[in-house]
Amino acid sequence: AWSEQFRKAYKQNKMKDYVFKNYEYQLEHYILEEIGDIKLKNVKPLNCQNVLNALEGKSASLIHKVRIQMNEMFEKAVENKLINDNPAKGITEPKGTKNTRRALTAREEAAFLAAAKKHNHGLLFMFMWGCGCRPSEAENICGRDIHTIDGRLYLHIRGTKTKAADRFVPIPEEVAEMLPEQLDPFLPICRTSE
């Protein structure tokens, strides 16, 4: 019951929809499946540690997010005087995996470029490939984000995660070739609902 109240009061209207859905999924599948049947006042540090231990071998990022989420949920329960102590405080993260990334081979890159030029949403993928956009950033690019500086096209990425996420990057020729001739300043260039 507290997890539901916590979500509504502290999370639901403060996150983008896709972030909130991720948050809910992690809460339901990783936290509540382990401790959801225990009364709030009866949750012990051992129960919280077991939640994280069950995630051993999953990504280090997921384990960290679940620990933060659990800690915050119980900290707010303490603030609301529902419990005296936070049982998630001081629990330790088990070893998780870290994804290793690799660059596309020349052959893979050629196949990607050929496919993107024919795909309905190819420009979206090209912005991610050529400009380093996150999917959500690429979806929100509007005409006003394309700038010509010293004769070269640049993309203003309006990132929201950190100050460094808001940046100007050069648009590669392969991406520029796919831009529509008419750009509406306020409509997304890469419509994904079509």
Side-chain angles (χ1 to χ4, degrees):
W2 168 243
S3 72
E4 191 63 36
Q5 290 177 334
F6 169 76
R7 272 183 273 190
K8 285 182 181 169
Y10 297 105
K11 295 295 172 186
Q12 194 164 15
N13 296 321
K14 308 207 176 13
M15 298 175 156
K16 291 184 178 181
D17 282 344
Y18 74 94
V19 176
F20 182 69
K21 282 185 171 110
N22 245 357
Y23 186 90
E24 276 197 309
Y25 181 87
Q26 291 167 5
L27 180 65
E28 296 286 337
H29 289 86
Y30 302 123
I31 299 172
L32 296 180
E33 276 189 15
E34 288 284 328
I35 61 174
D37 293 337
I38 304 173
K39 286 188 176 184
L40 182 60
K41 65 180 182 177
N42 294 335
V43 177
K44 304 288 181 225
L46 178 62
N47 301 121
C48 296
Q49 187 64 58
N50 285 338
V51 168
L52 290 188
N53 290 348
L55 298 175
E56 187 171 6
K58 295 208 181 274
S59 81
S61 172
L62 172 68
I63 293 168
H64 183 70
K65 286 175 187 171
V66 170
R67 183 184 64 77
I68 296 291
Q69 190 173 1
M70 226 181 347
N71 187 60
E72 186 179 21
M73 184 172 61
F74 287 117
E75 199 56 48
K76 291 296 182 188
V78 171
E79 284 178 24
N80 283 282
K81 303 194 181 339
L82 299 173
I83 53 177
N84 293 325
D85 298 305
N86 177 351
K89 191 174 186 176
I91 60 175
T92 57
E93 297 178 12
K95 188 169 183 164
T97 60
K98 294 202 185 239
N99 290 341
T100 55
R101 296 185 179 151
R102 66 170 182 83
L104 295 174
T105 65
R107 187 175 174 185
E108 290 169 336
E109 190 171 43
F112 167 79
L113 293 172
K117 289 177 182 175
K118 295 176 185 174
H119 195 279
N120 287 345
H121 304 296
L123 184 56
L124 176 87
F125 301 124
M126 292 294 282
F127 275 128
M128 290 187 278
W129 167 80
C131 300
C133 297
R134 294 180 178 94
S136 60
E137 292 170 339
E139 287 175 351
N140 292 312
I141 295 169
C142 298
R144 66 188 169 134
D145 298 319
I146 308 296
H147 301 273
T148 303
I149 302 170
D150 295 330
R152 179 145 191 211
L153 282 180
Y154 283 82
L155 173 64
H156 180 201
I157 301 173
R158 298 173 190 277
T160 57
K161 284 195 165 191
T162 64
K163 285 183 181 179
D166 191 271
R167 60 212 186 271
F168 281 85
V169 295
I171 299 175
E173 192 175 316
E174 297 92 340
V175 179
E177 289 170 356
M178 293 180 68
L179 288 172
E181 286 186 27
Q182 296 296 318
L183 296 172
D184 186 298
F186 301 104
L187 283 179
I189 296 171
C190 305
R191 294 196 185 131
T192 55
S193 58
E194 294 174 359

